[in-house]
Amino acid sequence: MDFKEIVDSRGKLVAIEQEKTIPFEIKRVFYIYGVNPFENRGAHAHYRTKQVLIALNGRCMVTVENENGRLEILLDHPSKGLLIEPHEWHVMGEFTEGCILLVLASEHYDEKDYIRSYDQYLEVYPRASHKGGSFQ
Ligand code: TYD
């Protein structure tokens, strides 16, 4: 997603509105920072939660897997967002120092909405593209 930047002589501003810019009601906001560059975060899918990820500072790489296969998406600008639909396995990694990753979520936190095991993900959403693949 490319958010509109409002630019003037003082700097830049991005405004995000639920159900307009973001295609859902935002029930939860969290942010991830201070991540060791050698560590991954995420590595799960959801049953219901939709999310939009925005790198407010720095960069990180997000790998997303769905029925069409896997995509690696670089988040490297605060005007860029990545919509992650429920059922999409996602892993965030390659965090640069100082990276702050903002996450807007459509649901309140509920551990029961997580699929944290990739094997379980394959059982719940069996797909041809998964065959033989091992992916964390
Ligand atoms: P975790 O799901 O491992 O984070 P990531 O999405 O980066 O993989 O969550 C880390 C811890 O934080 C875990 O104990 C659950 C807790 N947590 C909350 O309490 N509320 C939240 O909204 C989130 C995303 C996590």
Side-chain angles (χ1 to χ4, degrees), residues 28-30 32 40-44 46 51 90 92 95 103 105 107-111 114 116:
R28 180 166 50 107
V29 173
F30 60 95
I32 294 168
N40 287 335
R41 307 240 12 166
H44 57 241
H46 294 281
Q51 300 177 105
H90 52 284
M92 298 87 85
F95 285 80
V103 183
E107 307 297 329
H108 294 295
Y109 175 71
D110 178 4
E111 190 56 40
Y114 281 75
R116 290 195 182 270

Side-chain angles (χ1 to χ4, degrees), residues 48-65:
R48 294 177 56 217
T49 303
K50 297 176 188 175
Q51 300 177 105
V52 171
L53 276 52
I54 305 164
L56 292 182
N57 190 54
R59 296 186 306 276
C60 69
M61 191 66 89
V62 188
T63 308
V64 179
E65 175 171 327

Side-chain angles (χ1 to χ4, degrees), residues 65-83:
E65 175 171 327
N66 61 25
E67 64 275 20
N68 299 316
R70 284 173 203 162
L71 258 189
E72 285 210 315
I73 297 118
L74 176 68
L75 290 181
D76 60 353
H77 198 274
S79 69
K80 213 162 134 180
L82 174 64
L83 174 65

